[in-house]
Amino acid sequence: MPARRSRRTAGALTAAGLFAALTLAGAEAPAAPAHGIAMHGAPKYGPDFEHLDYVNPDAPKGGALRRAATGTFDNLNPFIIKGVVAHGRHLVFESLLKRTWDEPFSLYGLIAETVDVPDDRSSVTFTLRPEARFHDGSPITVDDVIFSWETLKEQGRPNHRLYYNKVRAIERPDARTVRFLFDTETPDRELPLILGLMPIVSKAYYSHVTFEETTLTPPLGSGPYRIESVDAGRGIVYRRDSDYWGRHLPINRGLNNFDRISYDYYRDDEVMMEAFRAGEYDLRQERSATRWATGYDFPAAEDGRVKLELLPHGRPSGMFAMVFNTRRPMFADRAVRYALSLAFDFDWINRNLLQGAYVRTNSIFDNSELGSRGLPEGGELALLEPHRASLPPELFDTAYHAPVVEGGLRKNLAAARRLLAEAGWSIEDGALQRTSDGLPMAFEVLLVNPGNEKIALNFTRSLERLGVEAKVRTVDTAQYQYRRNVYDFDMIIYRWGMSLSPGNEQAFYWGVEAAGQEGTRNYPGIEDPVVDDLIAQMTEARERSDFVDVVRAMDRVLLWGHYMIPLYHLNDDRFAYWDKFGRPAFTPVYGAVLDAWWEEPGRAEALDR
């Protein structure tokens, strides 16, 4: 059965009440305080570590990193769904614990000095560092932690509300310690880590500032950078805080090296690329294979002033896909979605539009051990077997590949016509419609990135041969975000990023409850109790091998639901940058960490831009 989510409003308990609550619930007492916590097994770094392996602990401080983005922004409050938030929010706000990028999912003390969890993870206890401060010099207290939890679970983004409402009770054993208690009937072993990543905001600051409103006034944070200036919708500048309270912590050593980080906004990616050529900003991560192959033939790239680097990584591919909104009646039938998917001609697109550089995505977790492969077997099969009656039979006897029929687009479309006919769709006056009620197969592909237009247009041209009336529409950032948040679209192109330790966020992406809430990332509108059940088991798994089986099973169920058309991915990161940077020799499994780069003294001045 799907995990039951506690919705009780948790009040503060007295110390005696806390002991009674723990006793009644059968919860275990907290373990000894620790410097960090891993989702599975032990953290990589011991309590006496001096710095992370993927940093240069002696990296020079100074210089600037100028970055760019497309679109616009109208909000500096990253905790609500209103507005378009400016890039760089991670520079200002902090959490109790901090994640590392060379492990699947481990956290180490940041605002919290230690973390305690019992073996069953029915609670988590954080002891705050006495030196932790907000930018106004005020200490970060237990009151701030409790206020952050209460505010985010009631007024925060849907994912915050989803996660933090699983807390059953909260207590403060002493002035520097806070404990969260969970529902022991439905154990969720990821919750201590999720609470560790909760952003901490100032209770005093929000006593006179409305939390749930957009703002262009720089909010109070505690991170290594402060917002220095804002040009509404056009740019934002962050300045490194030389008095940042956490600058000497081992978890931060070698990070946050630039004195100044800025983001300039451009109308679209082509304009942004021209600005890079002209030296208007320093670094771009190139996601276009065509541009990577043909767009860097300008003098600075040819003479070495601009460096092009291809850095491999080991993180999951995630899912970049054309997404069916199954809330629309025409997309409610899985067979229809599969038939339409056959009109996507990946081979032609990759060869003619993408320089043949991409790999077709066949799993949400491609490029990692978590991706489902072949036929289900062993522990994965055991997880799926109880649900056999409600799952497509192909899931058990056919290895999944992104929708394609051997023999090219012509055979694909012939197969699509047969499937559509079997599903009750027919051609009338040249247009595809549902025979039972005349519902036309007509829809819009909504885009925000003009770079996706050629791909979408190629798809819609193929659909025309099936009698489908599909149009492509590109809108501005604000309109797109609003329509996406309220699911006012037929089809979009979207990318879900994935980690090596997926967990509760999967309910936010694919869960039944998320399908009915605005502002989640369940854009397909998936409402499958099997998926919810597997997500619940994912957060209960104690061993990595069991966890892998559950993730692969969930992956397989989602893929065979044909809620989206998997597109493609790269197994490396591509960076173009003006040659003024130094970076660590070691790239962690999640890929390059720009927070660990630095500006080499004197090199920026030597560049002729």
Side-chain angles (χ1 to χ4, degrees):
M1 295 294 292
R4 190 185 68 193
R5 295 179 175 85
S6 174
R7 291 295 178 190
R8 267 181 266 176
T9 300
L13 301 175
T14 63
L18 170 66
F19 178 79
L22 286 168
T23 302
L24 287 172
E28 301 179 20
H35 71 293
I37 182 174
M39 183 62 194
H40 300 104
K44 171 183 174 180
Y45 297 97
D48 299 322
F49 80 99
E50 296 182 356
H51 61 81
L52 303 173
D53 289 344
Y54 54 85
V55 306
N56 171 9
D58 301 314
K61 304 290 186 184
L65 171 61
R66 300 179 305 164
R67 302 199 65 184
T70 57
T72 186
F73 69 91
D74 60 7
N75 184 21
L76 302 180
N77 179 357
F79 308 121
I80 60 175
I81 66 171
K82 298 177 184 176
V84 180
V85 181
H87 286 276
R89 69 198 78 173
H90 68 287
L91 301 171
V92 175
F93 296 100
E94 294 184 304
S95 50
L96 294 163
L97 307 178
K98 184 171 181 176
R99 187 168 190 165
T100 54
W101 300 111
D102 55 349
E103 306 171 76
F105 192 16
S106 291
L107 306 178
Y108 297 84
L110 185 58
I111 292 173
E113 186 172 28
T114 61
V115 54
D116 315 26
V117 292
D119 182 65
D120 67 355
R121 295 195 177 179
S122 57
S123 68
V124 61
T125 304
F126 301 101
T127 299
L128 308 188
R129 295 184 191 273
E131 69 269 30
R133 292 288 188 275
F134 289 108
H135 289 149
D136 64 357
S138 61
I140 301 176
T141 68
V142 169
D143 278 346
D144 296 309
V145 175
I146 295 174
F147 172 79
S148 300
W149 168 72
E150 290 176 334
T151 303
L152 291 169
K153 79 181 178 68
E154 297 296 337
Q155 303 174 38
R157 300 183 66 85
N159 56 325
H160 292 151
R161 298 197 297 269
L162 179 69
Y163 304 153
Y164 303 151
N165 270 294
K166 292 185 177 185
V167 175
R168 180 176 57 80
I170 192 168
E171 178 52 46
R172 54 174 84 206
D174 59 51
R176 288 176 47 216
T177 305
V178 59
R179 180 174 298 145
F180 296 91
L181 301 168
F182 311 130
D183 188 346
T184 56
E185 294 180 17
T186 54
D188 184 333
R189 297 185 61 78
E190 192 185 32
L191 273 181
L193 288 84
I194 288 177
L195 268 295
L197 289 175
M198 179 175 66
I200 304 303
V201 298
S202 167
K203 179 179 180 179
Y205 176 80
Y206 284 104
S207 68
H208 58 83
V209 172
T210 303
F211 179 85
E212 64 268 30
E213 294 298 327
T214 61
T215 182
L216 287 173
T217 300
L220 180 65
S222 65
Y225 288 83
R226 302 183 187 214
I227 297 175
E228 181 177 76
S229 62
V230 179
D231 184 0
R234 301 180 64 181
I236 185 168
V237 179
Y238 300 87
R239 174 71 62 176
R240 185 166 61 87
D241 184 359
S242 59
D243 294 324
Y244 167 50
W245 71 269
R247 62 190 181 279
H248 300 306
L249 296 178
I251 193 68
N252 286 328
R253 189 175 176 189
L255 298 173
N256 310 313
N257 300 314
F258 299 104
D259 280 348
R260 189 171 179 268
I261 298 176
S262 60
Y263 292 84
D264 288 330
Y265 282 73
Y266 296 87
R267 183 179 69 249
D268 57 47
D269 204 46
E270 292 303 320
V271 177
M272 189 166 72
M273 181 64 193
E274 289 305 312
F276 179 74
R277 287 170 176 254
E280 297 297 320
Y281 63 98
D282 299 320
L283 176 148
R284 58 182 284 124
Q285 185 173 354
E286 186 56 73
R287 302 187 187 278
S288 166
T290 300
R291 188 178 294 114
W292 184 257
T294 64
Y296 291 88
D297 56 356
F298 54 99
E302 293 169 352
D303 64 24
R305 284 175 293 154
V306 167
K307 297 291 186 184
L308 305 179
E309 286 202 314
L310 197 149
L311 302 176
H313 63 76
R315 65 179 181 269
S317 63
M319 179 54 71
F320 179 47
M322 305 193 78
V323 184
F324 296 103
N325 185 354
T326 64
R327 301 170 185 86
R328 300 292 201 249
M330 59 194 160
F331 296 146
D333 187 336
R334 186 183 76 96
V336 170
R337 298 194 297 269
Y338 176 67
L340 298 177
S341 300
L342 290 171
F344 184 79
D345 192 354
F346 169 74
D347 289 338
W348 189 94
I349 289 171
N350 195 35
R351 185 171 60 252
N352 293 281
L353 300 180
L354 305 175
Q355 304 296 312
Y358 284 88
V359 178
R360 187 76 192 267
T361 302
N362 285 306
S363 164
I364 298 170
F365 302 96
D366 261 352
N367 194 43
S368 77
E369 66 171 341
L370 300 176
S372 55
R373 302 175 178 88
L375 298 178
E377 57 183 18
E380 185 186 351
L381 179 60
L383 290 163
L384 293 168
E385 193 64 50
H387 305 291
R388 182 181 283 269
S390 60
L391 294 173
E394 309 97 282
L395 185 150
F396 294 92
D397 59 25
T398 307
Y400 181 86
H401 296 285
V404 65
V405 173
E406 293 297 329
L409 182 61
R410 182 176 297 178
K411 287 192 175 181
N412 278 13
L413 295 179
R417 292 186 186 97
R418 290 194 300 271
L419 289 169
L420 289 167
E422 292 170 4
W425 292 75
S426 60
I427 300 288
E428 298 292 338
D429 297 325
L432 185 67
Q433 64 181 36
R434 192 160 60 189
T435 308
S436 60
D437 58 5
L439 176 70
M441 181 59 75
F443 61 88
E444 175 185 86
V445 183
L446 182 70
L447 304 178
V448 68
N449 181 1
N452 289 328
E453 287 176 352
K454 289 183 179 179
I455 297 163
L457 287 169
N458 179 272
F459 177 56
T460 59
R461 283 194 291 269
S462 296
L463 288 172
E464 286 178 8
R465 296 164 65 178
L466 295 174
V468 176
E469 182 185 348
K471 298 179 180 179
V472 177
R473 183 182 182 195
T474 303
V475 298
D476 61 60
T477 305
Q479 183 181 172
Y480 180 79
Q481 180 159 316
Y482 172 77
R483 290 186 59 181
R484 194 180 67 185
N485 281 342
V486 300
Y487 314 119
D488 180 21
F489 61 85
D490 301 322
M491 174 177 278
I492 59 172
I493 294 181
Y494 185 74
R495 183 190 305 274
W496 287 269
M498 293 292 160
S499 78
L500 289 164
S501 185
N504 277 275
E505 81 286 350
Q506 300 299 306
F508 187 63
Y509 299 165
W510 325 114
V512 171
E513 188 173 338
Q517 292 184 15
E518 292 183 1
T520 75
R521 294 183 194 170
N522 188 346
Y523 300 121
I526 299 168
E527 297 186 71
D528 187 343
V530 177
V531 173
D532 275 30
D533 176 51
L534 292 169
I535 293 171
Q537 293 188 58
M538 192 184 305
T539 60
E540 296 166 10
R542 288 176 174 250
E543 302 298 329
R544 181 72 181 179
S545 59
D546 295 334
F547 174 77
V548 170
D549 284 338
V550 179
V551 175
R552 289 180 177 177
M554 181 198 72
D555 182 42
R556 198 178 298 273
V557 173
L558 290 169
L559 293 169
W560 281 106
H562 299 303
Y563 300 106
M564 58 201 97
I565 306 173
L567 298 182
Y568 41 79
H569 66 276
L570 297 167
N571 292 329
D572 49 57
D573 292 322
R574 301 174 179 203
F575 288 97
Y577 59 89
W578 286 83
D579 187 22
K580 69 173 191 174
F581 299 112
R583 64 173 180 83
F586 171 58
T587 300
V589 66
Y590 277 103
V593 178
L594 294 180
D595 290 343
W597 291 31
W598 62 90
E599 183 177 305
E600 291 285 5
R603 194 178 289 181
E605 292 78 8
L607 284 174
D608 179 16
R609 302 203 201 199

